[in-house]
Amino acid sequence: MTQVVVVTGAASGIGAAVARHFAGLGARVVVADIDEAGGAAVAEEVGGLFVRCDTTGEEDNRALIDTAVQTYGGLDLVHLNAGIGDGGGFGEDDYDTRRQHRVLAVNLHGVMFGLHAALPALAAHGGGSLLVTSSMAGVGAAPFDPVYAATKYGVIGLVRSLAPAWQEKGVRINALCPGFVRTPILSPEAVAYLVGEGYALAEPAEIAASAAGIAAGEETGQAYVLQAGRAPEPVAFPRLDLARTHA
């Protein structure tokens, strides 16, 4: 049976690589992005459908999922991948609430809107998989962009909190936490610095292959660290037992 796959932020980087990977597996791919030229080009390349989608808008998210279902009859996988960085810092010179709100709108609220639109559609089609792109910044520390890190921690909290209830409806939800990847979110100067410091940079196609493997698995509520040359590593979260009072 041919899979139907929706990918946001798919005009470039990881999203474009995911679209290409699934198209190569024979899937019908819906490419979603605010970048109309880039998104349309990727959709044409993979023989898919382009839908302009500003993920910060609830209506755009609903329209994206509705279009995919109406065009192809259902959904099997949704990858909420759209994201941005540069939320600023907390010093006198780099604290900017407008930048903060933009990063929060795309990375956190946009994911919430996407989850709200996609989860019922996946369940209605008999179940499926939902991936959310977080980051290693969501399980570690990112002093260079603390607002970005906060949103990526938030995404993992959403995934872990929603997974149990939606598992009962046949939908698996997992987070991807890539390390450094050669995508447009890294400037050429940043790439040069990272390479010079000896950091390994993954290619988007490598992340896409890992994403496909995770989507095909049976796990849910997990966060997987994805780094160059390594297999996906599930994050070992501590088990917390709530204290109880006893009479």
Side-chain angles (χ1 to χ4, degrees):
M1 180 187 243
T2 303
Q3 279 192 312
V4 178
V5 177
V6 172
V7 188
T8 68
S12 62
I14 292 172
V18 170
R20 294 183 183 110
H21 186 93
F22 278 99
L25 298 176
R28 294 187 174 108
V29 180
V30 179
V31 173
D33 207 292
I34 197 170
D35 175 359
E36 295 187 38
V42 172
E44 182 177 4
E45 175 189 345
V46 303
L49 172 68
F50 172 68
V51 177
R52 186 189 184 281
C53 179
D54 180 350
T55 58
T56 66
E58 193 167 7
E59 290 298 327
D60 270 25
N61 281 276
R62 278 203 292 262
L64 167 63
I65 298 303
D66 288 346
T67 299
V69 171
Q70 290 165 9
T71 303
Y72 296 123
L75 287 177
D76 298 288
L77 169 65
V78 175
H79 185 174
L80 304 177
N81 169 73
I84 60 173
D86 193 20
F90 286 77
E92 292 184 5
D93 297 331
D94 60 351
Y95 188 84
D96 187 329
T97 56
R98 286 176 296 179
R99 285 161 65 188
Q100 287 180 15
H101 290 164
R102 178 62 182 162
V103 173
L104 286 165
V106 176
N107 293 4
L108 192 54
H109 294 152
V111 170
M112 290 178 176
F113 296 150
L115 287 164
H116 185 245
L119 287 170
L122 286 164
H125 193 52
S129 182
L130 194 147
L131 300 176
V132 179
T133 300
S134 178
S135 167
M136 279 185 65
V139 292
F144 54 88
D145 200 341
V147 177
Y148 173 82
T151 63
K152 295 305 183 177
Y153 269 91
V155 159
I156 292 174
L158 281 169
V159 165
R160 298 185 68 209
S161 300
L162 287 168
W166 286 93
Q167 184 177 21
E168 298 173 2
K169 302 174 184 179
V171 183
R172 301 177 308 282
I173 313 172
N174 291 290
L176 308 180
C177 303
F180 295 120
V181 186
R182 291 183 187 271
T183 70
I185 203 170
L186 290 179
S187 68
E189 294 77 17
V191 170
Y193 171 79
L194 292 169
V195 171
E197 291 295 310
Y199 290 104
L201 272 67
E203 297 298 330
E206 182 179 0
I207 303 301
S210 293
I214 292 166
E218 296 301 320
E219 296 296 323
T220 190
Q222 301 294 319
Y224 293 89
V225 172
L226 308 178
Q227 296 194 77
R230 298 185 185 180
E233 303 171 43
V235 177
F237 293 101
R239 178 176 176 177
L240 302 178
D241 294 318
L242 296 177
R244 298 176 181 269
T245 58
H246 298 280

